[in-house]
């Protein structure tokens, strides 16, 4: 992972999103070194579990600088988070609202709106979120439970390729804010979530384009609020490169295969998650002029361990050569298991 | 995990496959307690990495009772395996054959044939295997490299639902054995691989049906050989039940949702791997007469963490209730990561 690249991405984000406070989506890369670089660059953090809070606290990040944006959490997770100083919790059900009121009394809550399909490469699927009346109901109830109706959030889906995906959710946010005025509730915060893309094998819209869409939407709100965002992938993906080793090559009826010590299960899981839609840039250390089309697969016995097909690499690739996988800083090591007995890759910061 | 159920499955397999030696596919469940039960029931083991060899050795399984069936392995893995007493290695390329000759001189090798689509639920995809001439070439070369041309293997794909899937590969094996006679080579072993199914939400063909197909195919071989099999799922899946906890319920625009402390990333990954084709039996501890259709999702923030949809469970399901997931003893904990900070489930043997 390149520290300078992470810091540069944070700067780019700040410039693209004026007056937007950054909460890095910790799930995306929870390596302590990476989190330290982000913290130094001025980000705060979005968390989804007490484990993530624990890592951040060990790096000196106070709970006050974290947003607990996982809208459904076990009761003891809420309690523990509150003890660690976290005071802002997202909710998307009356059930969750009660848990927050019980375990973190007096906290700030922000309701999560459901969104339509945001044309994202790694889609969400209705797992979280309420509609506009549901959000209003939750925030009104929050007050009666002694909680602070603090804000509203949504998520357009990971690796979104459509800045306009922000427009409809921000319009729904406007409606919520407007209607809440009738209840005497004025929110402090609008959290536009994450999903901003990184470059893999093809160009993507600029962060500036997403920033403009966000600014246009928030400008239409009935009164000024603090605007938060939860970028993950766009801050760290391109800073990471997997450096892996060719353990064998083989010609098979299905083509030419290169086997590496990295695979789907110990780092490249998002290939499976995205049904192969996410295509990482891949190159080799041999760099021969003669090229051949290779299928690239991991070290396990599993048929699902193949993470790239028909990639042009050196024709004379052989055991011991190095293979490089770019844009590998997000949603890679965090998904790694030890399936078949192969270890998670080590993170090195440069 | 129910020990008695594992032992019973081994007995059933032995009865279904007469005179077939069992090598349990360690990748399927590598819990030391589970492996100990299998060992006591009389199985040997199929391994894919030195890590798996290490676990088995710590349980007192000698390397001689292991088959290293991952046909492509890093050089140092071969060396380490040979030192641990493993002497049988699968190969499917000249490259691998040389590595075995270098690092484990004098070993026995068995060639892996590629197979067509075996109508399996979790398909392979051409990752491994050579055609008939390729297998003959490898086994002839093996001799010139000082290795023992020992056997031949194939794999019909995981959770195969078609006993007849064994027929064509065994016919190819017959051709290989017949043609090798002309080279003065007589193999000792035919390994029919794994892929034998477990019951999830629907009935599957019996192990006896697979046993009959295997017996018919091996009876046609030109001379008697030892027959090996590498069952995994069918020996352990049904012995396992996930016991998880409801951490919250929510009504959303997309339906009724129940959130549990178990999800795709810490145990239910095969749902994603099989594109939802693998449907586990699920029931709840409340057991109310009134039912409702639920979507069931894990504890992370990830949209991909949903592992079942439209499951009829108690209508009044609530936080703290227990949910049970059956047929969970295979390909669950071995895929578990700590994504978003949620731990791998604990295995309890009863």
């Amino acid at each position: 992972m390149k520290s300078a690249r992470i810091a540069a991405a944070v700067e780019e984000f700040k410039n693209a999103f004026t007056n937007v406070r950054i909460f890095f989506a910790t799930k995306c890369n929870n390596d302590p070194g990476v989190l330290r670089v982000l913290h130094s660059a001025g980000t705060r953090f979005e968390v989804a579990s007490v484990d993530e809070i624990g890592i951040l606290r060990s790096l000196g990040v106070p709970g006050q600088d974290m947003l607990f944006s996982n809208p459904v959490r076990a009761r003891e997770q809420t309690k523990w988070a509150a003890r660690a100083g976290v005071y802002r919790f997202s909710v998307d059900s009356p059930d969750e609202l009660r848990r927050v009121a019980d375990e973190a009394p007096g906290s700030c809550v922000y309701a999560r709106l459901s969104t339509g399909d945001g044309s994202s490469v790694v889609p969400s699927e209705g797992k979280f979120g309420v509609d506009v009346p549901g959000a209003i109901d939750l925030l009104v109830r929050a007050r009666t439970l002694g909680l602070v109706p603090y804000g509203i959030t949504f998520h357009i889906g990971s690796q979104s390729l459509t800045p306009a995906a922000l427009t409809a959710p921000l319009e729904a946010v406007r409606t919520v804010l407007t209607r809440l005025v009738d209840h005497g509730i004025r929110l402090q915060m609008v959290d536009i979530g994450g999903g901003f893309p990184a470059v893999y094998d093809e160009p993507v819209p600029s962060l500036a384009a997403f920033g403009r869409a966000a600014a246009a939407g928030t400008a239409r709100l009935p009164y000024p609020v603090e605007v938060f965002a939860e970028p993950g992938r766009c801050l760290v993906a391109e800073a990471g490169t997997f450096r892996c080793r060719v353990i064998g090559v083989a010609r098979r009826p299905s083509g030419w295969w290169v086997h590496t010590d990295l695979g789907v299960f110990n780092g490249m899981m998002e290939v499976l998650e995205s049904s192969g839609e996410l295509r990482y840039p891949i190159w080799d250390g041999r760099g021969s002029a003669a090229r051949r089309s290779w299928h690239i697969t991991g070290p396990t016995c599993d048929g699902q361990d193949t993470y790239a097909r028909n990639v042009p690499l050196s024709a004379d690739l052989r055991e011991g050569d190095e293979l490089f996988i770019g844009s590998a800083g997000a949603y890679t090591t965090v998904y790694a298991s030890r399936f078949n007995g192969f270890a998670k890759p080590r993170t090195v910061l440069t």
Side-chain angles (χ1 to χ4, degrees), chain A:
Chain A
M1 293 288 293
K2 291 198 171 130
S3 304
R5 185 75 181 262
I6 298 172
V10 173
E11 278 314 300
E12 187 191 347
F13 196 93
K14 283 180 187 167
N15 292 332
F17 292 79
T18 320
N19 291 322
V20 172
R21 195 163 287 188
I22 303 176
F23 292 78
F24 174 71
T26 307
K27 59 177 163 292
C28 182
N29 190 321
N30 66 0
D31 178 75
V34 170
L35 297 174
R36 203 175 281 120
V37 173
L38 285 157
H39 190 41
S40 301
T43 74
R44 293 173 175 78
F45 297 90
E46 181 269 319
V47 297
S49 68
V50 299
D51 247 52
E52 292 183 350
I53 295 170
I55 296 171
L56 289 163
R57 290 260 292 176
S58 75
L59 301 174
V61 179
Q64 288 75 6
D65 284 351
M66 303 177 203
L67 286 182
F68 203 138
S69 285
N70 186 347
V72 181
R73 56 190 85 72
R75 193 169 274 281
E76 68 275 13
Q77 296 244 349
T78 309
K79 187 174 195 162
W80 197 97
R83 282 191 187 156
V86 178
Y87 71 99
R88 291 172 291 197
F89 298 89
S90 80
V91 293
D92 77 341
S93 66
D95 211 29
E96 185 63 37
L97 200 59
R98 273 189 299 274
R99 273 195 294 277
V100 176
D102 290 349
E103 307 297 341
S107 293
C108 293
V109 292
Y110 47 109
R112 172 138 170 193
L113 281 173
S114 65
T115 52
D117 184 350
S119 310
S120 62
V121 174
V122 184
S124 179
E125 30 57 317
K127 173 167 173 159
F128 293 124
V130 289
D131 56 13
V132 166
I136 292 167
D137 177 60
L138 284 173
L139 291 161
V140 170
R141 277 190 206 219
R143 192 173 49 180
T144 67
L145 290 167
L147 297 165
V148 179
Y150 177 71
I152 189 148
T153 188
F154 57 85
H155 200 290
I156 56 174
S158 201
Q159 184 71 2
S160 169
L161 302 177
T162 318
L166 288 164
T167 308
L170 279 170
E171 188 58 27
V173 166
R174 192 175 73 85
T175 307
V176 173
L177 264 59
T178 305
R179 294 206 197 149
L180 278 175
V181 172
D182 301 338
H183 295 274
I185 291 174
R186 190 182 161 102
L187 299 181
Q188 298 173 52
M189 177 276 270
V190 170
D191 176 352
I192 61 170
F196 314 111
V199 176
Y200 289 83
D201 70 330
E202 285 184 346
V204 298
S206 67
L207 288 180
F210 283 91
R212 282 191 298 273
T218 51
R220 288 172 46 78
L221 298 179
Y223 52 83
V225 290
E226 282 195 281
V227 182
F228 292 177
E230 302 176 351
R233 195 189 295 279
C234 67
L235 299 186
V236 292
E238 294 169 53
T241 303
F242 272 129
R243 182 173 170 169
C244 57
R245 189 163 58 94
V246 173
I247 60 173
V249 296
R251 182 178 195 170
R252 303 214 169 85
S254 50
W256 283 86
W257 288 75
V258 51
H259 294 245
T260 61
D261 56 0
L262 178 81
V264 164
F265 300 101
N266 64 350
M268 299 297 283
M269 180 53 72
E270 232 193 357
V271 170
L272 188 57
E273 266 209 74
S274 68
S275 306
E277 281 294 300
L278 211 62
R279 291 182 304 275
Y280 295 75
I282 302 178
W283 64 102
D284 66 80
R286 182 162 290 280
S288 304
R291 312 302 277 174
R292 170 173 288 146
S293 183
W294 294 90
H295 303 318
I296 315 178
T297 194
T300 76
C301 246
D302 203 295
Q304 307 265 345
D305 201 10
T306 300
Y307 57 92
R309 289 178 173 275
N310 304 311
V311 180
L313 296 170
S314 295
D316 55 345
L317 212 56
R318 67 189 75 154
E319 180 199 346
D321 280 349
E322 282 193 318
L323 224 66
F324 300 92
I325 299 166
S327 299
Y331 298 108
T332 50
T333 49
V334 290
Y335 284 140
S337 76
R338 288 190 58 86
F339 178 60
N340 242 185
F342 295 97
K344 175 176 160 174
R346 199 162 46 94
T347 298
V348 181
L349 275 167
T350 56

